[in-house]
Short mmCIF file of all heavy atoms in Angstrom, two decimals:
data_model
loop_
_atom_site.label_atom_id
_atom_site.label_comp_id
_atom_site.label_asym_id
_atom_site.label_seq_id
_atom_site.Cartn_x
_atom_site.Cartn_y
_atom_site.Cartn_z
N GLU D 88 4.10 8.80 8.95
CA GLU D 88 4.52 10.02 8.25
C GLU D 88 6.01 10.11 8.37
O GLU D 88 6.61 9.99 9.47
CB GLU D 88 3.93 11.26 8.84
CG GLU D 88 2.46 11.40 8.45
CD GLU D 88 1.89 12.75 8.75
OE1 GLU D 88 2.63 13.74 8.62
OE2 GLU D 88 0.70 12.81 9.14
N CYS D 89 6.68 10.19 7.23
CA CYS D 89 8.14 10.12 7.20
C CYS D 89 8.76 11.40 6.73
O CYS D 89 8.50 11.86 5.65
CB CYS D 89 8.49 8.98 6.28
SG CYS D 89 10.28 8.66 6.19
N ILE D 90 9.67 11.95 7.56
CA ILE D 90 10.42 13.13 7.17
C ILE D 90 11.89 12.85 6.96
O ILE D 90 12.54 13.32 6.04
CB ILE D 90 10.18 14.27 8.21
CG1 ILE D 90 8.72 14.59 8.32
CG2 ILE D 90 11.04 15.49 7.92
CD1 ILE D 90 8.38 15.51 9.45
N ASN D 91 12.45 12.03 7.84
CA ASN D 91 13.89 11.75 7.78
C ASN D 91 14.21 10.49 6.93
O ASN D 91 13.34 9.73 6.62
CB ASN D 91 14.49 11.65 9.19
CG ASN D 91 13.77 10.56 10.00
OD1 ASN D 91 13.28 9.57 9.43
ND2 ASN D 91 13.78 10.68 11.32
N VAL D 92 15.49 10.35 6.58
CA VAL D 92 15.90 9.28 5.70
C VAL D 92 15.74 7.88 6.32
O VAL D 92 15.44 6.93 5.62
CB VAL D 92 17.40 9.52 5.32
CG1 VAL D 92 17.95 8.37 4.53
CG2 VAL D 92 17.53 10.81 4.58
N GLU D 93 15.86 7.79 7.65
CA GLU D 93 15.79 6.52 8.30
C GLU D 93 14.44 5.74 8.08
O GLU D 93 14.46 4.53 8.05
CB GLU D 93 16.05 6.62 9.80
CG GLU D 93 17.48 7.01 10.19
CD GLU D 93 17.74 8.50 10.04
OE1 GLU D 93 16.80 9.33 10.17
OE2 GLU D 93 18.88 8.85 9.77
N CYS D 94 13.35 6.48 7.94
CA CYS D 94 12.08 5.83 7.83
C CYS D 94 11.61 5.71 6.41
O CYS D 94 10.54 5.17 6.16
CB CYS D 94 11.03 6.54 8.70
SG CYS D 94 10.67 8.20 8.11
N GLN D 95 12.41 6.12 5.43
CA GLN D 95 12.01 6.05 4.05
C GLN D 95 12.10 4.66 3.46
O GLN D 95 11.37 4.33 2.54
CB GLN D 95 12.86 7.01 3.19
CG GLN D 95 12.58 8.45 3.48
CD GLN D 95 13.43 9.39 2.63
OE1 GLN D 95 14.44 8.90 1.96
NE2 GLN D 95 13.11 10.65 2.62
N ASN D 96 12.97 3.80 3.99
CA ASN D 96 13.20 2.47 3.42
C ASN D 96 12.50 1.43 4.31
O ASN D 96 12.39 1.51 5.49
CB ASN D 96 14.67 2.15 3.39
CG ASN D 96 15.42 3.06 2.45
OD1 ASN D 96 14.96 3.30 1.33
ND2 ASN D 96 16.57 3.59 2.87
N PHE D 97 11.96 0.41 3.54
CA PHE D 97 11.28 -0.71 4.18
C PHE D 97 11.80 -1.96 3.54
O PHE D 97 11.84 -2.11 2.31
CB PHE D 97 9.79 -0.61 4.00
CG PHE D 97 9.02 -1.72 4.54
CD1 PHE D 97 8.74 -1.82 5.91
CD2 PHE D 97 8.56 -2.80 3.73
CE1 PHE D 97 8.01 -2.84 6.45
CE2 PHE D 97 7.85 -3.82 4.28
CZ PHE D 97 7.60 -3.88 5.65
N ALA D 98 12.32 -2.89 4.36
CA ALA D 98 12.87 -4.12 3.79
C ALA D 98 12.56 -5.32 4.65
O ALA D 98 12.64 -5.28 5.88
CB ALA D 98 14.38 -3.98 3.66
N LEU D 99 12.08 -6.35 4.01
CA LEU D 99 11.92 -7.66 4.60
C LEU D 99 12.66 -8.61 3.67
O LEU D 99 13.33 -8.20 2.75
CB LEU D 99 10.45 -8.06 4.74
CG LEU D 99 9.63 -7.20 5.69
CD1 LEU D 99 8.15 -7.54 5.56
CD2 LEU D 99 10.04 -7.43 7.13
N GLN D 100 12.56 -9.90 3.81
CA GLN D 100 13.29 -10.86 3.04
C GLN D 100 13.19 -10.64 1.53
O GLN D 100 14.19 -10.38 0.89
CB GLN D 100 12.83 -12.27 3.33
CG GLN D 100 13.22 -12.73 4.72
CD GLN D 100 12.69 -14.10 5.07
OE1 GLN D 100 11.69 -14.55 4.45
NE2 GLN D 100 13.28 -14.73 6.01
N ASN D 101 11.99 -10.62 0.94
CA ASN D 101 11.85 -10.41 -0.50
C ASN D 101 11.03 -9.20 -0.79
O ASN D 101 10.38 -9.07 -1.83
CB ASN D 101 11.10 -11.62 -1.09
CG ASN D 101 11.91 -12.89 -1.04
OD1 ASN D 101 13.15 -12.82 -1.14
ND2 ASN D 101 11.29 -14.01 -0.82
N PHE D 102 11.11 -8.24 0.11
CA PHE D 102 10.26 -7.01 0.03
C PHE D 102 11.12 -5.82 0.33
O PHE D 102 11.54 -5.59 1.45
CB PHE D 102 9.17 -7.16 1.05
CG PHE D 102 7.88 -6.44 0.81
CD1 PHE D 102 7.53 -5.93 -0.43
CD2 PHE D 102 7.00 -6.23 1.86
CE1 PHE D 102 6.32 -5.26 -0.63
CE2 PHE D 102 5.79 -5.59 1.67
CZ PHE D 102 5.46 -5.09 0.44
N LYS D 103 11.36 -4.98 -0.70
CA LYS D 103 12.19 -3.78 -0.50
C LYS D 103 11.49 -2.62 -1.19
O LYS D 103 11.21 -2.59 -2.37
CB LYS D 103 13.58 -3.97 -1.14
CG LYS D 103 14.40 -4.98 -0.43
CD LYS D 103 15.79 -5.04 -0.95
CE LYS D 103 16.61 -5.87 -0.05
NZ LYS D 103 16.95 -7.16 -0.40
#
Side-chain angles (χ1 to χ4, degrees):
E88 285 194 36
C89 183
I90 298 170
N91 57 28
V92 175
E93 290 80 28
C94 65
Q95 290 179 351
N96 296 314
F97 178 79
L99 295 171
Q100 291 175 339
N101 295 324
F102 205 16
K103 292 187 170 103

